[in-house]
Amino acid sequence: MAKQPKRSATDRVYPRDLAATLLRTWNPEPFFEGWPRVELPPKAVLGQFLDVCYHASMLTEEGRPTVFRIVLQDSKSPVSPRHGEELPPVTRYTFTKPIPFTETELRRLAPVADPRKVLIAVESTGEGDQAQLQIYGLVDIGMALWEMARHERVMGHSSPEALVVVSTRPGELSISRGDRPVVRLRDGRIVSPTDSVLHEGPIAEFFSPASTVFINNACQLAEIDQDPDEDDGLRMAHQTFIESLLLYTADLHHGGTLLFVPEEMAHDDPRLLSRVSIKYVLPSTRPRDALVSAMAARLQHNAVMTSLEDRKTVKIEVLQALEALAEREQECDDAAKDAARFIASLTAVDGAVVLTDTLRIIGFGAEVIAAPAATDTVHIAQTAQGDESRPIEFTEFGTRHRSAYRFTAGLDNSVAFVLSEDGGIKAVRQVGPRLLLWPYFNIGFVTALT
């Protein structure tokens, strides 16, 4: 097979190219009634803003990268569409004297501005050639949005409706409008995230039968005949667990691989043994049982809530029973989250964690021993469906990625998630004659918040 052509310096993307892309694609219209339009600054100001962000991302402090989240918004603009609250959830703290917007000042401020909850606030002052960018304060949105992105709470507070730039590693800029991802400069390319691969496309199709099993088991445990279409949370519970597992693993920042196989496979299945050597066999249905219990508890709590909707009075005994069900639901949710965190912790050992699609743990510390794949090319998916892709050779990736490629290429009905030390998450599956890789996809708000 012919090798892919090498990229030249002219193929690289820089802040000036990013500014041009934003000006072409940015949508300034309000998302909801009463929300503001979000206009980009003039091209020269935008270019300067992105240039400083880009070069600041290259700086380090005692070997640590400069990680930041910046909002470009006038200091007189509201930081939240929610007006008139005595104690607004989003707070702007303003310096008595603005600070020059430079790479050096960004590096100094970054350690005190936790990007999960604090944004460095920048504005443009002056007109035309006299326009200058300055840091005028910090915006605290709290941890609610971050926790919501990790499915740890239902509601969160929005970031300001403005241009937001995040950098978590050298040379990478993620740009969003508020919390909505727009584009990312990554590895010298401008990329846009695909939709969640767990909600549609070949990855979602792999997990879909298991999701149905979870729903049926939860209904049986709760002794409730529930139509899944009447409860989006019930239908999404399985995907949410896997998303949480991926996010918990990414938060550990040591990288790892999660290999998912069909439920009928056991640790001694010849099909599995011919592809991986599992150092620590640890069969357990705890994650599956915890999730089914959480789904059943939700069903029972919702059923009682529904039965009380039209009542004018409710007996104290019924309210006490409802409170007990709510506590039970919370306990079960916590147990499911703990199970996801436990699986994530297993990735600390060298080797992959092997699971079934119904969340039965098979083992960890697994080494892929599958023979080299019939192809040396993986196809980078441009959509969640994988119907648009571009080929790239295995040699462009490290050992962890190549092992995942060999495993999924050799076992058609399997899925791999590969996590890098910088928190990046990739999904892999063999689809027909192509081995597909999804290198950048949405998980809740994570593409904007990572």
PDB file of all heavy atoms in Angstrom, residues 376-408:
ATOM      1  N   ASP A 376      -2.719  -1.870   7.357  1.00  0.00           N
ATOM      2  CA  ASP A 376      -1.870  -0.997   8.177  1.00  0.00           C
ATOM      3  C   ASP A 376      -2.417   0.423   8.158  1.00  0.00           C
ATOM      4  O   ASP A 376      -1.700   1.381   8.428  1.00  0.00           O
ATOM      5  CB  ASP A 376      -0.421  -1.017   7.682  1.00  0.00           C
ATOM      6  CG  ASP A 376      -0.294  -0.547   6.228  1.00  0.00           C
ATOM      7  OD1 ASP A 376      -1.340  -0.237   5.608  1.00  0.00           O
ATOM      8  OD2 ASP A 376       0.830  -0.498   5.716  1.00  0.00           O
ATOM      9  N   THR A 377      -3.715   0.534   7.839  1.00  0.00           N
ATOM     10  CA  THR A 377      -4.354   1.840   7.720  1.00  0.00           C
ATOM     11  C   THR A 377      -5.589   1.913   8.597  1.00  0.00           C
ATOM     12  O   THR A 377      -6.393   0.973   8.645  1.00  0.00           O
ATOM     13  CB  THR A 377      -4.769   2.112   6.254  1.00  0.00           C
ATOM     14  OG1 THR A 377      -3.612   2.057   5.431  1.00  0.00           O
ATOM     15  CG2 THR A 377      -5.413   3.477   6.126  1.00  0.00           C
ATOM     16  N   VAL A 378      -5.740   3.006   9.304  1.00  0.00           N
ATOM     17  CA  VAL A 378      -6.955   3.277  10.060  1.00  0.00           C
ATOM     18  C   VAL A 378      -7.610   4.491   9.417  1.00  0.00           C
ATOM     19  O   VAL A 378      -6.929   5.393   8.914  1.00  0.00           O
ATOM     20  CB  VAL A 378      -6.646   3.538  11.559  1.00  0.00           C
ATOM     21  CG1 VAL A 378      -5.766   4.760  11.740  1.00  0.00           C
ATOM     22  CG2 VAL A 378      -7.927   3.675  12.366  1.00  0.00           C
ATOM     23  N   HIS A 379      -8.933   4.520   9.406  1.00  0.00           N
ATOM     24  CA  HIS A 379      -9.676   5.600   8.753  1.00  0.00           C
ATOM     25  C   HIS A 379     -10.223   6.559   9.810  1.00  0.00           C
ATOM     26  O   HIS A 379     -10.977   6.147  10.696  1.00  0.00           O
ATOM     27  CB  HIS A 379     -10.809   5.025   7.901  1.00  0.00           C
ATOM     28  CG  HIS A 379     -10.315   4.239   6.714  1.00  0.00           C
ATOM     29  ND1 HIS A 379     -10.275   4.758   5.443  1.00  0.00           N
ATOM     30  CD2 HIS A 379      -9.806   2.986   6.634  1.00  0.00           C
ATOM     31  CE1 HIS A 379      -9.781   3.855   4.605  1.00  0.00           C
ATOM     32  NE2 HIS A 379      -9.497   2.771   5.309  1.00  0.00           N
ATOM     33  N   ILE A 380      -9.842   7.821   9.725  1.00  0.00           N
ATOM     34  CA  ILE A 380     -10.275   8.842  10.674  1.00  0.00           C
ATOM     35  C   ILE A 380     -11.691   9.271  10.314  1.00  0.00           C
ATOM     36  O   ILE A 380     -11.925   9.866   9.253  1.00  0.00           O
ATOM     37  CB  ILE A 380      -9.341  10.064  10.663  1.00  0.00           C
ATOM     38  CG1 ILE A 380      -7.882   9.623  10.838  1.00  0.00           C
ATOM     39  CG2 ILE A 380      -9.751  11.055  11.740  1.00  0.00           C
ATOM     40  CD1 ILE A 380      -7.610   8.919  12.132  1.00  0.00           C
ATOM     41  N   ALA A 381     -12.652   8.965  11.175  1.00  0.00           N
ATOM     42  CA  ALA A 381     -14.057   9.287  10.907  1.00  0.00           C
ATOM     43  C   ALA A 381     -14.303  10.783  11.064  1.00  0.00           C
ATOM     44  O   ALA A 381     -13.864  11.396  12.038  1.00  0.00           O
ATOM     45  CB  ALA A 381     -14.963   8.497  11.842  1.00  0.00           C
ATOM     46  N   GLN A 382     -15.019  11.364  10.114  1.00  0.00           N
ATOM     47  CA  GLN A 382     -15.360  12.786  10.155  1.00  0.00           C
ATOM     48  C   GLN A 382     -16.755  13.015  10.728  1.00  0.00           C
ATOM     49  O   GLN A 382     -17.115  14.149  11.053  1.00  0.00           O
ATOM     50  CB  GLN A 382     -15.304  13.374   8.746  1.00  0.00           C
ATOM     51  CG  GLN A 382     -14.008  13.083   8.005  1.00  0.00           C
ATOM     52  CD  GLN A 382     -12.796  13.721   8.645  1.00  0.00           C
ATOM     53  OE1 GLN A 382     -12.824  14.889   9.005  1.00  0.00           O
ATOM     54  NE2 GLN A 382     -11.720  12.960   8.805  1.00  0.00           N
ATOM     55  N   THR A 383     -17.546  11.950  10.856  1.00  0.00           N
ATOM     56  CA  THR A 383     -18.894  12.034  11.410  1.00  0.00           C
ATOM     57  C   THR A 383     -19.099  10.881  12.370  1.00  0.00           C
ATOM     58  O   THR A 383     -18.358   9.887  12.346  1.00  0.00           O
ATOM     59  CB  THR A 383     -19.969  11.952  10.299  1.00  0.00           C
ATOM     60  OG1 THR A 383     -19.904  10.645   9.684  1.00  0.00           O
ATOM     61  CG2 THR A 383     -19.750  13.022   9.235  1.00  0.00           C
ATOM     62  N   ALA A 384     -20.120  10.995  13.223  1.00  0.00           N
ATOM     63  CA  ALA A 384     -20.422   9.907  14.157  1.00  0.00           C
ATOM     64  C   ALA A 384     -20.790   8.631  13.405  1.00  0.00           C
ATOM     65  O   ALA A 384     -20.524   7.515  13.878  1.00  0.00           O
ATOM     66  CB  ALA A 384     -21.558  10.320  15.097  1.00  0.00           C
ATOM     67  N   GLN A 385     -21.409   8.783  12.232  1.00  0.00           N
ATOM     68  CA  GLN A 385     -21.779   7.617  11.438  1.00  0.00           C
ATOM     69  C   GLN A 385     -20.575   6.948  10.788  1.00  0.00           C
ATOM     70  O   GLN A 385     -20.640   5.788  10.405  1.00  0.00           O
ATOM     71  CB  GLN A 385     -22.785   8.035  10.346  1.00  0.00           C
ATOM     72  CG  GLN A 385     -24.098   8.586  10.878  1.00  0.00           C
ATOM     73  CD  GLN A 385     -24.949   7.523  11.538  1.00  0.00           C
ATOM     74  OE1 GLN A 385     -24.689   6.316  11.386  1.00  0.00           O
ATOM     75  NE2 GLN A 385     -25.967   7.935  12.275  1.00  0.00           N
ATOM     76  N   GLY A 386     -19.487   7.690  10.624  1.00  0.00           N
ATOM     77  CA  GLY A 386     -18.307   7.123   9.992  1.00  0.00           C
ATOM     78  C   GLY A 386     -18.400   7.029   8.493  1.00  0.00           C
ATOM     79  O   GLY A 386     -17.570   6.363   7.847  1.00  0.00           O
ATOM     80  N   ASP A 387     -19.405   7.696   7.900  1.00  0.00           N
ATOM     81  CA  ASP A 387     -19.582   7.606   6.448  1.00  0.00           C
ATOM     82  C   ASP A 387     -18.601   8.490   5.680  1.00  0.00           C
ATOM     83  O   ASP A 387     -18.453   8.359   4.468  1.00  0.00           O
ATOM     84  CB  ASP A 387     -21.022   7.960   6.055  1.00  0.00           C
ATOM     85  CG  ASP A 387     -21.518   9.229   6.724  1.00  0.00           C
ATOM     86  OD1 ASP A 387     -20.743   9.857   7.456  1.00  0.00           O
ATOM     87  OD2 ASP A 387     -22.688   9.586   6.517  1.00  0.00           O
ATOM     88  N   GLU A 388     -17.930   9.402   6.385  1.00  0.00           N
ATOM     89  CA  GLU A 388     -16.875  10.209   5.781  1.00  0.00           C
ATOM     90  C   GLU A 388     -15.602   9.982   6.586  1.00  0.00           C
ATOM     91  O   GLU A 388     -15.621  10.066   7.820  1.00  0.00           O
ATOM     92  CB  GLU A 388     -17.243  11.697   5.799  1.00  0.00           C
ATOM     93  CG  GLU A 388     -18.508  12.043   5.029  1.00  0.00           C
ATOM     94  CD  GLU A 388     -18.850  13.511   5.156  1.00  0.00           C
ATOM     95  OE1 GLU A 388     -17.937  14.310   5.478  1.00  0.00           O
ATOM     96  OE2 GLU A 388     -20.017  13.863   4.946  1.00  0.00           O
ATOM     97  N   SER A 389     -14.518   9.682   5.905  1.00  0.00           N
ATOM     98  CA  SER A 389     -13.277   9.394   6.626  1.00  0.00           C
ATOM     99  C   SER A 389     -12.076   9.651   5.725  1.00  0.00           C
ATOM    100  O   SER A 389     -12.210   9.784   4.507  1.00  0.00           O
ATOM    101  CB  SER A 389     -13.264   7.939   7.111  1.00  0.00           C
ATOM    102  OG  SER A 389     -13.248   7.048   5.999  1.00  0.00           O
ATOM    103  N   ARG A 390     -10.902   9.727   6.361  1.00  0.00           N
ATOM    104  CA  ARG A 390      -9.651   9.846   5.622  1.00  0.00           C
ATOM    105  C   ARG A 390      -8.663   8.831   6.196  1.00  0.00           C
ATOM    106  O   ARG A 390      -8.600   8.612   7.410  1.00  0.00           O
ATOM    107  CB  ARG A 390      -9.088  11.268   5.696  1.00  0.00           C
ATOM    108  CG  ARG A 390      -8.808  11.758   7.109  1.00  0.00           C
ATOM    109  CD  ARG A 390      -8.256  13.171   7.112  1.00  0.00           C
ATOM    110  NE  ARG A 390      -8.033  13.657   8.480  1.00  0.00           N
ATOM    111  CZ  ARG A 390      -6.946  13.429   9.187  1.00  0.00           C
ATOM    112  NH1 ARG A 390      -5.958  12.722   8.653  1.00  0.00           N
ATOM    113  NH2 ARG A 390      -6.809  13.892  10.416  1.00  0.00           N
ATOM    114  N   PRO A 391      -7.897   8.175   5.353  1.00  0.00           N
ATOM    115  CA  PRO A 391      -6.982   7.122   5.826  1.00  0.00           C
ATOM    116  C   PRO A 391      -5.691   7.691   6.391  1.00  0.00           C
ATOM    117  O   PRO A 391      -5.216   8.750   5.975  1.00  0.00           O
ATOM    118  CB  PRO A 391      -6.708   6.313   4.551  1.00  0.00           C
ATOM    119  CG  PRO A 391      -6.833   7.329   3.439  1.00  0.00           C
ATOM    120  CD  PRO A 391      -7.921   8.281   3.879  1.00  0.00           C
ATOM    121  N   ILE A 392      -5.125   6.967   7.345  1.00  0.00           N
ATOM    122  CA  ILE A 392      -3.818   7.322   7.903  1.00  0.00           C
ATOM    123  C   ILE A 392      -3.155   6.029   8.371  1.00  0.00           C
ATOM    124  O   ILE A 392      -3.827   5.094   8.805  1.00  0.00           O
ATOM    125  CB  ILE A 392      -3.971   8.337   9.064  1.00  0.00           C
ATOM    126  CG1 ILE A 392      -2.612   8.847   9.518  1.00  0.00           C
ATOM    127  CG2 ILE A 392      -4.733   7.722  10.222  1.00  0.00           C
ATOM    128  CD1 ILE A 392      -2.705  10.027  10.466  1.00  0.00           C
ATOM    129  N   GLU A 393      -1.852   5.951   8.253  1.00  0.00           N
ATOM    130  CA  GLU A 393      -1.143   4.717   8.571  1.00  0.00           C
ATOM    131  C   GLU A 393      -1.007   4.504  10.078  1.00  0.00           C
ATOM    132  O   GLU A 393      -0.926   5.457  10.851  1.00  0.00           O
ATOM    133  CB  GLU A 393       0.243   4.732   7.922  1.00  0.00           C
ATOM    134  CG  GLU A 393       0.201   4.658   6.407  1.00  0.00           C
ATOM    135  CD  GLU A 393       1.591   4.578   5.800  1.00  0.00           C
ATOM    136  OE1 GLU A 393       2.578   4.604   6.581  1.00  0.00           O
ATOM    137  OE2 GLU A 393       1.695   4.482   4.574  1.00  0.00           O
ATOM    138  N   PHE A 394      -0.948   3.226  10.472  1.00  0.00           N
ATOM    139  CA  PHE A 394      -0.767   2.866  11.881  1.00  0.00           C
ATOM    140  C   PHE A 394       0.483   3.517  12.466  1.00  0.00           C
ATOM    141  O   PHE A 394       0.525   3.858  13.643  1.00  0.00           O
ATOM    142  CB  PHE A 394      -0.611   1.344  12.018  1.00  0.00           C
ATOM    143  CG  PHE A 394      -1.913   0.586  11.971  1.00  0.00           C
ATOM    144  CD1 PHE A 394      -3.094   1.189  11.563  1.00  0.00           C
ATOM    145  CD2 PHE A 394      -1.952  -0.756  12.335  1.00  0.00           C
ATOM    146  CE1 PHE A 394      -4.277   0.477  11.506  1.00  0.00           C
ATOM    147  CE2 PHE A 394      -3.134  -1.474  12.291  1.00  0.00           C
ATOM    148  CZ  PHE A 394      -4.297  -0.856  11.871  1.00  0.00           C
ATOM    149  N   THR A 395       1.513   3.647  11.637  1.00  0.00           N
ATOM    150  CA  THR A 395       2.801   4.129  12.134  1.00  0.00           C
ATOM    151  C   THR A 395       2.735   5.555  12.673  1.00  0.00           C
ATOM    152  O   THR A 395       3.672   6.001  13.341  1.00  0.00           O
ATOM    153  CB  THR A 395       3.858   4.064  11.016  1.00  0.00           C
ATOM    154  OG1 THR A 395       3.375   4.755   9.845  1.00  0.00           O
ATOM    155  CG2 THR A 395       4.169   2.615  10.664  1.00  0.00           C
ATOM    156  N   GLU A 396       1.647   6.275  12.388  1.00  0.00           N
ATOM    157  CA  GLU A 396       1.473   7.630  12.897  1.00  0.00           C
ATOM    158  C   GLU A 396       1.097   7.635  14.381  1.00  0.00           C
ATOM    159  O   GLU A 396       1.037   8.693  15.002  1.00  0.00           O
ATOM    160  CB  GLU A 396       0.386   8.366  12.103  1.00  0.00           C
ATOM    161  CG  GLU A 396       0.739   8.591  10.636  1.00  0.00           C
ATOM    162  CD  GLU A 396       1.855   9.598  10.465  1.00  0.00           C
ATOM    163  OE1 GLU A 396       1.904  10.573  11.248  1.00  0.00           O
ATOM    164  OE2 GLU A 396       2.690   9.394   9.558  1.00  0.00           O
ATOM    165  N   PHE A 397       0.821   6.437  14.948  1.00  0.00           N
ATOM    166  CA  PHE A 397       0.332   6.348  16.321  1.00  0.00           C
ATOM    167  C   PHE A 397       1.291   5.551  17.198  1.00  0.00           C
ATOM    168  O   PHE A 397       2.149   4.817  16.711  1.00  0.00           O
ATOM    169  CB  PHE A 397      -1.055   5.689  16.346  1.00  0.00           C
ATOM    170  CG  PHE A 397      -2.099   6.439  15.567  1.00  0.00           C
ATOM    171  CD1 PHE A 397      -2.315   6.169  14.222  1.00  0.00           C
ATOM    172  CD2 PHE A 397      -2.859   7.423  16.180  1.00  0.00           C
ATOM    173  CE1 PHE A 397      -3.270   6.860  13.504  1.00  0.00           C
ATOM    174  CE2 PHE A 397      -3.819   8.123  15.469  1.00  0.00           C
ATOM    175  CZ  PHE A 397      -4.026   7.849  14.128  1.00  0.00           C
ATOM    176  N   GLY A 398       1.087   5.679  18.518  1.00  0.00           N
ATOM    177  CA  GLY A 398       1.920   4.981  19.479  1.00  0.00           C
ATOM    178  C   GLY A 398       1.485   3.538  19.696  1.00  0.00           C
ATOM    179  O   GLY A 398       0.496   3.062  19.111  1.00  0.00           O
ATOM    180  N   THR A 399       2.198   2.860  20.592  1.00  0.00           N
ATOM    181  CA  THR A 399       1.959   1.432  20.848  1.00  0.00           C
ATOM    182  C   THR A 399       0.550   1.177  21.358  1.00  0.00           C
ATOM    183  O   THR A 399      -0.105   0.208  20.944  1.00  0.00           O
ATOM    184  CB  THR A 399       2.982   0.912  21.882  1.00  0.00           C
ATOM    185  OG1 THR A 399       4.296   1.152  21.399  1.00  0.00           O
ATOM    186  CG2 THR A 399       2.778  -0.580  22.128  1.00  0.00           C
ATOM    187  N   ARG A 400       0.053   2.010  22.287  1.00  0.00           N
ATOM    188  CA  ARG A 400      -1.270   1.801  22.862  1.00  0.00           C
ATOM    189  C   ARG A 400      -2.344   1.833  21.777  1.00  0.00           C
ATOM    190  O   ARG A 400      -3.246   0.985  21.754  1.00  0.00           O
ATOM    191  CB  ARG A 400      -1.552   2.865  23.921  1.00  0.00           C
ATOM    192  CG  ARG A 400      -2.927   2.737  24.570  1.00  0.00           C
ATOM    193  CD  ARG A 400      -3.126   3.847  25.599  1.00  0.00           C
ATOM    194  NE  ARG A 400      -2.206   3.699  26.719  1.00  0.00           N
ATOM    195  CZ  ARG A 400      -1.756   4.704  27.465  1.00  0.00           C
ATOM    196  NH1 ARG A 400      -2.124   5.935  27.194  1.00  0.00           N
ATOM    197  NH2 ARG A 400      -0.949   4.473  28.483  1.00  0.00           N
ATOM    198  N   HIS A 401      -2.235   2.785  20.872  1.00  0.00           N
ATOM    199  CA  HIS A 401      -3.222   2.889  19.804  1.00  0.00           C
ATOM    200  C   HIS A 401      -3.132   1.705  18.844  1.00  0.00           C
ATOM    201  O   HIS A 401      -4.149   1.117  18.463  1.00  0.00           O
ATOM    202  CB  HIS A 401      -3.031   4.196  19.025  1.00  0.00           C
ATOM    203  CG  HIS A 401      -3.434   5.422  19.783  1.00  0.00           C
ATOM    204  ND1 HIS A 401      -2.631   6.001  20.737  1.00  0.00           N
ATOM    205  CD2 HIS A 401      -4.562   6.181  19.737  1.00  0.00           C
ATOM    206  CE1 HIS A 401      -3.229   7.061  21.234  1.00  0.00           C
ATOM    207  NE2 HIS A 401      -4.397   7.196  20.653  1.00  0.00           N
ATOM    208  N   ARG A 402      -1.910   1.345  18.474  1.00  0.00           N
ATOM    209  CA  ARG A 402      -1.750   0.249  17.512  1.00  0.00           C
ATOM    210  C   ARG A 402      -2.275  -1.062  18.088  1.00  0.00           C
ATOM    211  O   ARG A 402      -2.842  -1.893  17.364  1.00  0.00           O
ATOM    212  CB  ARG A 402      -0.284   0.119  17.094  1.00  0.00           C
ATOM    213  CG  ARG A 402       0.244   1.326  16.327  1.00  0.00           C
ATOM    214  CD  ARG A 402       1.522   0.998  15.551  1.00  0.00           C
ATOM    215  NE  ARG A 402       2.589   0.538  16.412  1.00  0.00           N
ATOM    216  CZ  ARG A 402       3.483   1.331  17.000  1.00  0.00           C
ATOM    217  NH1 ARG A 402       3.407   2.645  16.821  1.00  0.00           N
ATOM    218  NH2 ARG A 402       4.440   0.833  17.755  1.00  0.00           N
ATOM    219  N   SER A 403      -2.101  -1.263  19.403  1.00  0.00           N
ATOM    220  CA  SER A 403      -2.634  -2.483  20.028  1.00  0.00           C
ATOM    221  C   SER A 403      -4.153  -2.514  19.946  1.00  0.00           C
ATOM    222  O   SER A 403      -4.761  -3.560  19.663  1.00  0.00           O
ATOM    223  CB  SER A 403      -2.187  -2.547  21.491  1.00  0.00           C
ATOM    224  OG  SER A 403      -0.789  -2.709  21.594  1.00  0.00           O
ATOM    225  N   ALA A 404      -4.781  -1.371  20.210  1.00  0.00           N
ATOM    226  CA  ALA A 404      -6.246  -1.297  20.117  1.00  0.00           C
ATOM    227  C   ALA A 404      -6.706  -1.541  18.688  1.00  0.00           C
ATOM    228  O   ALA A 404      -7.738  -2.196  18.456  1.00  0.00           O
ATOM    229  CB  ALA A 404      -6.725   0.065  20.604  1.00  0.00           C
ATOM    230  N   TYR A 405      -5.943  -1.054  17.704  1.00  0.00           N
ATOM    231  CA  TYR A 405      -6.306  -1.264  16.300  1.00  0.00           C
ATOM    232  C   TYR A 405      -6.239  -2.751  15.953  1.00  0.00           C
ATOM    233  O   TYR A 405      -7.141  -3.284  15.286  1.00  0.00           O
ATOM    234  CB  TYR A 405      -5.364  -0.488  15.371  1.00  0.00           C
ATOM    235  CG  TYR A 405      -5.357   1.006  15.576  1.00  0.00           C
ATOM    236  CD1 TYR A 405      -4.298   1.792  15.116  1.00  0.00           C
ATOM    237  CD2 TYR A 405      -6.407   1.651  16.234  1.00  0.00           C
ATOM    238  CE1 TYR A 405      -4.280   3.161  15.298  1.00  0.00           C
ATOM    239  CE2 TYR A 405      -6.395   3.024  16.425  1.00  0.00           C
ATOM    240  CZ  TYR A 405      -5.330   3.772  15.952  1.00  0.00           C
ATOM    241  OH  TYR A 405      -5.312   5.127  16.137  1.00  0.00           O
ATOM    242  N   ARG A 406      -5.189  -3.425  16.411  1.00  0.00           N
ATOM    243  CA  ARG A 406      -5.048  -4.854  16.109  1.00  0.00           C
ATOM    244  C   ARG A 406      -6.190  -5.646  16.748  1.00  0.00           C
ATOM    245  O   ARG A 406      -6.725  -6.578  16.136  1.00  0.00           O
ATOM    246  CB  ARG A 406      -3.702  -5.390  16.620  1.00  0.00           C
ATOM    247  CG  ARG A 406      -2.489  -4.813  15.929  1.00  0.00           C
ATOM    248  CD  ARG A 406      -1.274  -5.738  16.015  1.00  0.00           C
ATOM    249  NE  ARG A 406      -1.082  -6.325  17.338  1.00  0.00           N
ATOM    250  CZ  ARG A 406      -0.415  -5.743  18.327  1.00  0.00           C
ATOM    251  NH1 ARG A 406       0.101  -4.530  18.147  1.00  0.00           N
ATOM    252  NH2 ARG A 406      -0.260  -6.354  19.486  1.00  0.00           N
ATOM    253  N   PHE A 407      -6.553  -5.276  17.965  1.00  0.00           N
ATOM    254  CA  PHE A 407      -7.609  -6.019  18.659  1.00  0.00           C
ATOM    255  C   PHE A 407      -8.945  -5.869  17.941  1.00  0.00           C
ATOM    256  O   PHE A 407      -9.618  -6.866  17.646  1.00  0.00           O
ATOM    257  CB  PHE A 407      -7.748  -5.522  20.096  1.00  0.00           C
ATOM    258  CG  PHE A 407      -8.817  -6.229  20.883  1.00  0.00           C
ATOM    259  CD1 PHE A 407      -8.546  -7.428  21.518  1.00  0.00           C
ATOM    260  CD2 PHE A 407     -10.101  -5.705  20.975  1.00  0.00           C
ATOM    261  CE1 PHE A 407      -9.522  -8.102  22.238  1.00  0.00           C
ATOM    262  CE2 PHE A 407     -11.095  -6.358  21.688  1.00  0.00           C
ATOM    263  CZ  PHE A 407     -10.804  -7.565  22.317  1.00  0.00           C
ATOM    264  N   THR A 408      -9.353  -4.650  17.669  1.00  0.00           N
ATOM    265  CA  THR A 408     -10.673  -4.429  17.051  1.00  0.00           C
ATOM    266  C   THR A 408     -10.706  -4.895  15.604  1.00  0.00           C
ATOM    267  O   THR A 408     -11.743  -5.342  15.121  1.00  0.00           O
ATOM    268  CB  THR A 408     -11.069  -2.944  17.138  1.00  0.00           C
ATOM    269  OG1 THR A 408      -9.991  -2.131  16.655  1.00  0.00           O
ATOM    270  CG2 THR A 408     -11.380  -2.540  18.561  1.00  0.00           C
TER     271      THR A 408
END
